[in-house]
Amino acid sequence: AGFGWPMRYGAGFMLNKDEVFGPHRDAFGHSGWGGYVAYADPANRLGVGYVMNRMIVPADGPDPRRVRLLEALYDGLGL
């Protein structure tokens, strides 16, 4: 799709590309305008859902709030 960054889709879900859903290629889920994300990381038996109360539309890629949150999640879990 034309969001300005590469994406992969499969069976109605986005497949992980460029670590959008964490470090494992087999992770899958969906994200959208405003920064929300919901995904599963089967390699780590992890499910993640994030919604926010202030929508922003980043001009050049994934919402930086989501990126920082997921980095902190994986760092905190030692993954």
Side-chain angles (χ1 to χ4, degrees):
F3 292 111
W5 59 88
M7 287 186 258
R8 297 170 54 226
Y9 285 88
F13 293 99
M14 295 171 68
L15 303 176
N16 205 11
K17 181 165 178 62
D18 299 326
E19 299 188 351
V20 170
F21 302 126
H24 299 284
R25 186 163 174 82
D26 61 345
F28 62 93
H30 211 285
S31 61
W33 289 112
Y36 81 86
V37 64
Y39 77 93
D41 178 349
N44 287 308
R45 300 179 52 132
L46 180 67
V48 176
Y50 168 66
V51 296
M52 72 304 303
N53 63 359
R54 184 175 147 246
M55 181 176 171
I56 65 170
V57 179
D60 60 353
D63 186 326
R65 300 171 296 182
R66 184 186 79 203
V67 171
R68 288 189 307 267
L69 177 69
L70 297 183
E71 286 173 352
L73 170 67
Y74 281 93
D75 285 347
L77 293 173
L79 301 173

